[in-house]
Each structure stands twice: as C-alpha cells, then as structure tokens.
Amino acid sequence: MKICYIVAMEAEAKPFVEKFGVEKVESAFGKLPCQLYQHRLSEKDSLHIVVNGQQHGSSLIGCEAASITTLKAIETIQPDIVINSGTCGAFKKNGAEIGKVYIGNGVMFHDRRVMGDDKWYTQSIGNYRLSKLSEEIAAALNMPMGKVTTGSSLDIQPCDLEIMAQHGGELKDMEGAAVAFVCSLLDIPCLLVKSVTDLIDGGENTLDEFLRNLAHASEELSKANVRIVEHLINK
C-alpha cells in the first residue's frame, strides 16, 4: 500500500518524520515549495509525507496550498490512500481537550457563503466523502471521530459558527476540505486525522492558544499516525 500524508506545517510533520526516519527527496515537485519525505515500510508498503513548504519564511497554510500540494502528490506518488494530518480547533462543550486526536467522519467548508439554488450551495459547502476505512480505524484504535469543517482564517466569525452548528461541525481546520476536494475529483480515498490545539469556546485568544499548544498537539498527532500506519500495513 502506498500511504500518502498531506501536512500543512513543518512543525506538525516534524515529530512524525523523525519517528519514521523518512528520507527527504530533493526537488520532487520542481519549482513548487512542497517537500516530499518517503520511506519503504516493507516490500509492498511505502510511506510518503508531503509538506506544503514555505513562502516568505513561513509554512504555507490554508486551502490553496493544500490543494496544490495534494494534486501534485497524487500525480507524483499515485497513492492508494491520502491522509490529511494536522491540527484543529474544537469545542470544549463537546468534550474536546488539547492534544486529543480525532478521525474525521465528514468534512466540509464553513466559510463559503454562496447564494443560489441547492446545486450552488451543495458545491460550495462540499461535504466530501471520506474513506470507508475511517470508522474501521477509529474503532480498532479506540479513537474519537468528529466532523471537520474548513475555512481560510485562523479566527472564526459568528456566521461560520452558525454553519458549523447547522451541519454538525465539531473540528475546525484550514486544509481538510481542500484535500478531500482534490481527492474527490481524482477518486482517491481520503482520511483525516486532527489533533486539537485550541478550544473554540474556551475564551482564550486563538493564536496564543494555538502557538502554545502546537508542539504538544503535533507530538500526539505523530503517535496517532504511527498507530494508523501500522494498522493499514497490517490489515
């Protein structure tokens, strides 16, 4: 099985990269900044971790970078499954805790307010299908599940919260739906793994809380990903 991880930030990927001892492939995507790390797990299994890369000295985040990275990764690697691994915000009222890792059971955009008929609205919010392995992995590894909603901003507005509430959104990120969108176009199974850095209803400044908890959440994310990879190759 070719397992391809899409990760936005180097800080999110670093613990996972170090645990597997993957090797960096130089200039794998030409002039694009995304970076490829890969490792042969067995005669028939391989792990590929693709990170968005940097521009202007900082990690590229958000939907545009995630879409480009996912498209080039699929074209180059031709994986059997794409896994978007990253951090997220979540709700304390739903039992979320800093560093808690979830498997996505749905994904959509929460900040696309497109007026029009049902077809335009359906396209704008997404609600992309995720891999049928999602529930199996969550059950086998005793991991909680939650619906991921994606937006282009770190903060969140009241209108975004309304859309999340209407559609059962529990985990807020900036990449998941973009990755799932590309996978849906190319018919590639997609799995989402999200670790909580900030509590949307916790009353703290989002950026301060995110930065304070990024290292811890990324470490917990790495531990979960090791278990997920082991489960996939031992199926």
Side-chain angles (χ1 to χ4, degrees):
M1 174 181 280
K2 286 185 180 179
I3 303 169
C4 178
Y5 273 81
I6 304 294
V7 187
M9 300 177 64
E10 292 180 8
E12 294 170 323
K14 185 178 179 182
F16 190 34
V17 166
E18 291 177 346
K19 272 190 168 62
F20 271 99
V22 293
E23 296 182 2
K24 186 175 182 179
V25 180
E26 297 294 340
S27 303
F29 304 106
K31 291 184 178 180
L32 291 174
C34 35
Q35 302 293 321
L36 170 63
Y37 301 85
Q38 59 187 22
H39 179 65
R40 176 64 63 179
L41 297 167
S42 69
E43 187 175 323
K44 59 184 179 65
D45 301 307
S46 57
L47 173 64
H48 310 262
I49 303 173
V50 186
V51 183
N52 285 350
Q54 295 192 355
Q55 188 177 49
H56 305 308
S58 62
S59 291
L60 286 164
I61 58 174
C63 298
E64 294 83 1
S67 296
I68 292 171
T69 298
T70 304
L71 177 60
K72 295 305 294 183
I74 291 174
E75 289 179 342
T76 302
I77 299 164
Q78 298 185 355
D80 296 301
I81 188 169
V82 165
I83 303 176
N84 173 225
S85 169
T87 55
C88 70
F91 294 95
K92 185 177 180 180
K93 66 181 181 182
N94 292 340
E97 301 172 355
I98 301 300
K100 192 171 184 177
V101 183
Y102 292 80
I103 300 291
N105 60 10
V107 64
M108 60 173 282
F109 291 99
H110 63 242
D111 63 350
R112 289 183 170 181
R113 294 173 287 279
V114 179
M115 303 303 176
D117 59 23
D118 288 344
K119 291 182 180 179
W120 279 106
Y121 181 69
T122 297
Q123 182 200 123
S124 68
I125 63 173
N127 272 327
Y128 305 107
R129 183 179 301 174
L130 295 176
S131 170
K132 61 183 180 181
L133 293 173
S134 300
E135 290 187 5
E136 174 193 308
I137 290 172
L141 303 183
N142 193 29
M143 295 177 65
M145 302 190 79
K147 185 169 185 177
V148 179
T149 75
T150 298
S152 294
S153 300
L154 183 63
D155 69 353
I156 192 160
Q157 300 301 313
C159 52
D160 299 332
L161 288 170
E162 289 178 13
I163 293 174
M164 291 180 72
Q166 289 170 9
H167 294 271
E170 299 171 88
L171 310 171
K172 171 194 171 294
D173 79 346
M174 296 180 66
E175 289 89 20
V179 174
F181 163 65
V182 177
C183 288
S184 74
L185 295 178
L186 300 175
D187 198 26
I188 300 293
C190 180
L191 182 78
L192 301 182
V193 188
K194 299 292 169 176
S195 179
V196 178
T197 50
D198 53 280
L199 299 174
I200 299 169
D201 54 351
E204 289 196 51
N205 177 277
T206 301
L207 180 59
D208 291 343
E209 191 176 18
F210 169 79
L211 293 174
R212 185 174 70 249
N213 296 318
L214 178 58
H216 170 62
S218 297
E219 184 62 38
E220 294 304 306
L221 191 63
S222 175
K223 294 175 185 177
N225 282 326
V226 170
R227 297 174 66 211
I228 290 168
V229 170
E230 290 174 345
H231 176 84
L232 288 173
I233 65 176
N234 291 321
K235 277 179 57 65

